[in-house]
Amino acid sequence: DVKVTQSSRYLVKRTGEKVFLECVQDMDHENMFWYRQDPGLGLRLIYFSYDVKMKEKGDIPEGYSVSREKKERFSLILESASTNQTSMYLCASIRLADTDTQYFGPGTRLTVL
Amino acid sequence: GEDVEQSLFLSVREGDSSVINCTYTDSSSTYLYWYKQEPGAGLQLLTYIFSNMDMKQDQRLTVLLNKKDKHLSLRIADTQTGDSAIYVCAEGFAYSGAGSYQLTFGKGTKLSVIP
């Protein structure tokens, strides 16, 4: 079974702190994605990566950056957390030769105080 | 991205059938998906349908695709209280800017099953 894991299920940070959210997949997938999910807004794509060291902005990249140094790991960075970044963050991955599904991690509920 | 629309809420009685509807806009979609999301959890793939199919059945789940109207539906037969969750519709398409395949998601339909 494909497994996508995220470093934390729940995280509480203060305004201005630097926050790292990590995502790891164990199936050699090329594509990895970071979304945030908010009530009434659904999933919105923040960034995605189609290969090591490659990244593309999604629909809402402002205030975020990403890092993909290894194929299995995709990190989301909040350089200076703000209260409007309180949200559920979901990581996902997919292999291009297998476009049946996008596999999701369990999510990280981030609260910024 | 393209829009995927679905109604926000649906209530059904236990044992009845549930039908959750979704409309999408991108005619070049290759696959369409239904995900289930339990409270506080990530999305779990329920089923998917290739865009050149009309119907797919998988135990209690039936997916119907009307490509002309860009309408997708998920029918859950004999709905149980354990089916209470948010159901998210998604369409997949190749992203031309890079070697990537992406999904656009609906906001989700919250299904409540009344015992």
Side-chain angles (χ1 to χ4, degrees), chain A residues 92-110:
Chain A
S93 74
I94 192 170
R95 183 167 52 203
L96 285 180
D98 171 24
T99 56
D100 290 347
T101 186
Q102 201 169 71
Y103 297 93
F104 280 86
T108 297
R109 171 73 64 184
L110 173 66

Side-chain angles (χ1 to χ4, degrees), chain B residues 1-110:
Chain B
E2 304 296 335
D3 285 336
V4 176
E5 300 284 342
Q6 39 183 145
S7 53
L8 294 181
F9 302 99
L10 177 66
S11 288
V12 298
R13 293 206 172 272
E14 190 174 17
D16 288 350
S17 291
S18 308
V19 179
I20 304 170
N21 295 301
C22 170
T23 57
Y24 61 97
T25 56
D26 189 347
S27 58
S28 63
S29 300
T30 49
Y31 288 91
L32 295 118
Y33 308 82
W34 284 105
Y35 285 86
K36 179 181 181 182
Q37 187 175 28
E38 309 270 6
L43 274 68
Q44 173 197 355
L45 179 72
L46 269 184
T47 187
Y48 64 92
I49 187 168
F50 190 48
S51 58
N52 68 355
M53 295 170 65
D54 298 323
M55 187 182 88
K56 180 178 180 180
Q57 189 148 2
D58 183 2
Q59 298 182 331
R60 292 191 296 124
L61 304 178
T62 303
V63 178
L64 295 177
L65 176 59
N66 181 330
K67 201 168 181 182
K68 175 175 166 289
D69 294 338
K70 298 190 180 68
H71 183 265
L72 182 74
S73 68
L74 173 70
R75 180 177 179 270
I76 305 172
D78 187 25
T79 311
Q80 302 298 307
T81 54
D83 294 324
S84 293
I86 295 174
Y87 291 82
V88 182
C89 170
E91 58 170 338
F93 56 96
Y95 179 71
S96 59
S100 177
Y101 180 82
Q102 292 194 35
L103 272 66
T104 299
F105 296 87
K107 292 182 173 59
T109 299
K110 184 173 183 179

